[in-house]
Amino acid sequence: MDRNMPLPGSFYRYPNGNTLQIICIANNYNDKEKNIVYQNMLPPFDIWTEPLNSFMDKTDNNGLQIYKFEETGAGDIPPGMNLPVNNMNIPASTTKESAAITGSMFKEALLNGAIDRKIAGKMPDSEIAEKGFMELLDARTYHEKYIIFTSLRKYLDKRLLNNIAVALDIVLEDGDEEEQYDSLLHCLQTFEHYETQRLR
């Protein structure tokens, strides 16, 4: 792969000319392959995944080899087009401080409830939320998921709460963020309880 890795928040153009925004690069749980998660910038603003290698590949265009997805700018979104409500608006670049925070440092802070003390202010809140969400998905036990979830309380918005619910196969009732957070917290407590009972 001879191209730079796509950054969250950056924009690319489909072969048909439409624009998409990179949400993140995720690891496939089964085969450990990297996948691009991206969102269309036209209604209904669908979110898709594609293997990283496929996303970065070239394709044939009338005998010319061109990249399937070309990096572009937000300026290529049609004038007057509102960005989706669930657009993550992740900054394309991170600060030196956030770059200095390793994955293990971040996870340790999450599991020790020390995000506010050790991480906050060194990276944007949106980045804390997204990294925390990925750590929650990767956690091996419901006990870890519960601790991470409680550590992220102030960073979770309705979109992320919904994403967590989907990942845990939980149906969230309508309500405000506080009610949905409490509902997920209760479910995680229940899962954790039955997990520890099963392991005894």
Side-chain angles (χ1 to χ4, degrees):
M1 194 184 306
D2 59 350
R3 304 177 69 185
N4 291 330
M5 189 77 78
L7 292 170
S10 59
F11 293 89
Y12 280 73
R13 187 184 296 113
Y14 283 102
N16 66 7
N18 292 341
T19 304
L20 62 92
Q21 185 177 27
I22 305 298
I23 294 176
C24 67
I25 296 176
N27 295 316
N28 183 294
Y29 181 81
N30 294 316
D31 59 19
K32 309 301 185 229
E33 291 295 318
K34 293 195 178 301
N35 288 270
I36 291 281
V37 181
Y38 61 89
Q39 183 170 33
N40 291 338
M41 290 291 101
L42 291 174
F45 304 111
D46 292 327
I47 295 177
W48 299 91
T49 65
E50 181 160 345
L52 177 62
N53 287 337
S54 171
F55 186 90
M56 303 294 276
D57 273 351
K58 291 184 176 180
T59 187
D60 185 75
N61 183 16
N62 297 325
L64 293 174
Q65 289 291 310
I66 61 167
Y67 289 117
K68 282 172 57 177
F69 296 92
E70 286 286 345
E71 189 168 9
T72 182
D76 288 346
I77 297 173
M81 175 62 65
N82 293 323
L83 292 180
V85 172
N86 64 346
N87 179 37
M88 293 166 47
N89 294 324
I90 300 172
S93 60
T94 57
T95 64
K96 287 182 182 175
E97 286 128 339
S98 78
I101 297 170
T102 65
S104 59
M105 288 167 57
F106 186 83
K107 185 174 182 179
E108 183 182 340
L110 269 178
L111 293 175
N112 291 325
I115 285 289
D116 289 346
R117 210 170 61 249
K118 294 188 175 179
I119 306 296
K122 296 181 180 175
M123 65 171 59
D125 285 357
S126 61
E127 194 176 344
I128 291 174
E130 293 305 323
K131 280 180 175 268
F133 172 64
M134 297 308 291
E135 289 291 347
L136 188 145
L137 295 184
D138 288 342
R140 294 175 182 246
T141 66
Y142 283 110
H143 178 68
E144 276 192 4
K145 290 180 192 297
Y146 174 79
I147 292 171
I148 290 169
F149 186 70
T150 56
S151 292
L152 291 173
R153 181 169 195 149
K154 70 183 266 189
Y155 301 98
L156 298 174
D157 57 17
K158 284 193 87 139
R159 181 188 59 78
L160 275 174
L161 289 170
N162 187 60
N163 288 349
I164 291 169
V166 169
L168 297 175
D169 202 21
I170 296 169
V171 177
L172 272 182
E173 300 294 329
D174 287 337
D176 60 25
E177 284 180 19
E178 188 74 21
E179 292 169 330
Q180 291 187 332
Y181 178 89
D182 289 342
S183 175
L184 278 172
L185 185 66
H186 177 71
C187 289
L188 280 169
Q189 286 171 326
T190 304
F191 291 160
E192 181 189 25
H193 172 75
Y194 284 107
E195 177 180 64
T196 54
Q197 292 295 319
R198 194 181 71 245
L199 295 175
R200 284 185 180 175

